[in-house]
Amino acid sequence: MSLNSKEALSFINCFNIHKEKTFLIDSNNKAISYGDFFESCLDLKKSLEKKIQKNSKIFLISSDTYFNFQMIVASLIGSFILIPIDPNFSKERLNKLKKIFKPKIIINKKYKLKQINKTKYNFNKNIKIANFIIVLTSGTTGEPKGILFNNQNYLLSAKSFSELVQYDAETTVYHCLPTHYNAGILNTFLSCVFSGSKIIIGEKINYKTLLNFWEKPKKFNCNSIHLTPTIVAGL
């Protein structure tokens, strides 16, 4: 008998429960609802199915936060194993990682996925416990290592974090962390879904954008911001 991931089903059902509510504001200040976002993820999942089989590893090398969000959810509902990669990695380092993980497909902003016809998703569909994502460590104590999480454990951590920091429907999170970084995936994206929170996608952090860092959080009345020690030092 196969086990089912209750956390994955609960996570997906949140997109149905809050489907009319604004889920995020993208980098162009466009509002996107929970329902529209999930539909786009479903389209992406179907497009990926034309290329690869379930349990295939995907290298995601992109600095486009919104697209990376879509890929994360598409991988979850498509039973693919996503490996987010820092776009700033050197070619030599990337080739080394390819030999280690042997991805079936590499997705970046230049990759064109086939458009497919939209169909409705069955929100009561059983979701089996399966490997979901490999998050690379920072490599500060040696070579980066990949930590494999299944869908149940990773989403359970996201749900627990949401409860720990008391996210709710009135929470507006300013997202400025990389999506190859665990806090940029679990803490400030997946955990928001469980609470029906809103996400504001910010600019990539550098010394130029730090000068006007607070403009967008103030404009959209953000009440939750997660920063790294490096960003805090820069501010």
Side-chain angles (χ1 to χ4, degrees):
M1 183 177 71
S2 63
L3 297 173
N4 291 322
S5 173
K6 293 181 180 178
E7 282 69 33
L9 183 58
S10 172
F11 173 80
I12 291 170
N13 276 334
C14 289
F15 289 102
N16 188 37
I17 294 168
H18 305 293
K19 61 184 177 182
E20 301 299 331
K21 182 181 177 183
T22 297
F23 173 44
L24 57 81
I25 305 294
D26 69 11
S27 57
N28 296 315
N29 293 339
K30 179 183 177 182
I32 297 163
S33 70
Y34 270 81
D36 287 343
F37 174 81
F38 188 79
E39 278 194 8
S40 71
C41 296
L42 183 57
D43 290 347
L44 187 55
K45 169 248 184 189
K46 290 179 180 178
S47 185
L48 288 167
E49 287 174 336
K50 301 288 184 181
K51 300 284 185 181
I52 55 176
Q53 296 179 333
K54 290 184 177 182
N55 301 313
S56 296
K57 294 188 182 76
I58 302 173
F59 265 18
L60 176 62
I61 311 173
S62 167
S63 56
D64 185 331
T65 299
Y66 180 69
F67 177 67
N68 293 347
F69 284 173
Q70 291 175 307
M71 280 295 302
I72 291 165
V73 176
S75 298
L76 173 71
I77 60 179
S79 297
F80 308 120
I81 302 172
L82 191 69
I83 309 175
I85 303 291
D86 185 345
N88 297 314
F89 277 179
S90 66
K91 187 175 181 180
E92 180 182 1
R93 197 172 189 183
L94 184 59
N95 287 335
K96 189 173 183 179
L97 291 173
K98 287 179 188 176
K99 291 179 181 178
I100 295 171
F101 293 108
K102 298 178 174 59
K104 197 70 177 177
I105 192 171
I106 297 174
I107 302 290
N108 56 39
K109 62 181 180 181
K110 298 177 183 178
Y111 194 93
K112 297 293 184 181
L113 289 165
K114 186 178 180 181
Q115 295 294 318
I116 47 82
N117 295 325
K118 294 180 181 293
T119 56
K120 290 186 177 180
Y121 188 82
N122 179 4
F123 286 90
N124 295 316
K125 179 182 177 182
N126 288 332
I127 299 174
K128 294 180 180 179
I129 296 174
N131 291 332
F132 163 46
I133 194 166
I134 296 175
V135 181
L136 298 181
T137 61
S138 63
T140 52
T141 57
E143 283 295 316
K145 298 175 180 63
I147 303 174
L148 174 65
F149 299 93
N150 66 35
N151 52 10
Q152 177 173 264
N153 291 340
Y154 202 69
L155 290 176
L156 180 59
S157 295
K159 187 176 182 181
S160 297
F161 182 84
S162 179
E163 294 170 353
L164 178 67
V165 296
Q166 299 181 323
Y167 282 165
D168 58 27
E170 301 304 315
T171 300
T172 301
V173 175
Y174 185 65
H175 192 289
C176 59
L177 300 177
T179 44
H180 59 267
Y181 183 61
N182 200 43
I185 305 170
L186 189 151
N187 303 39
T188 52
F189 170 46
L190 299 179
S191 57
C192 301
V193 177
F194 284 107
S195 57
S197 301
K198 183 192 296 183
I199 299 172
I200 310 300
I201 296 179
E203 293 183 282
K204 181 181 178 181
I205 298 296
N206 55 46
Y207 284 106
K208 183 179 179 181
T209 57
L210 279 174
L211 294 173
N212 302 309
F213 178 83
W214 296 108
E215 285 187 4
K216 198 165 185 178
K218 288 165 69 175
K219 178 180 179 180
F220 290 99
N221 297 314
C222 297
N223 51 25
S224 180
I225 299 178
H226 300 251
L227 305 175
T228 65
T230 304
I231 296 174
V232 172
L235 289 170

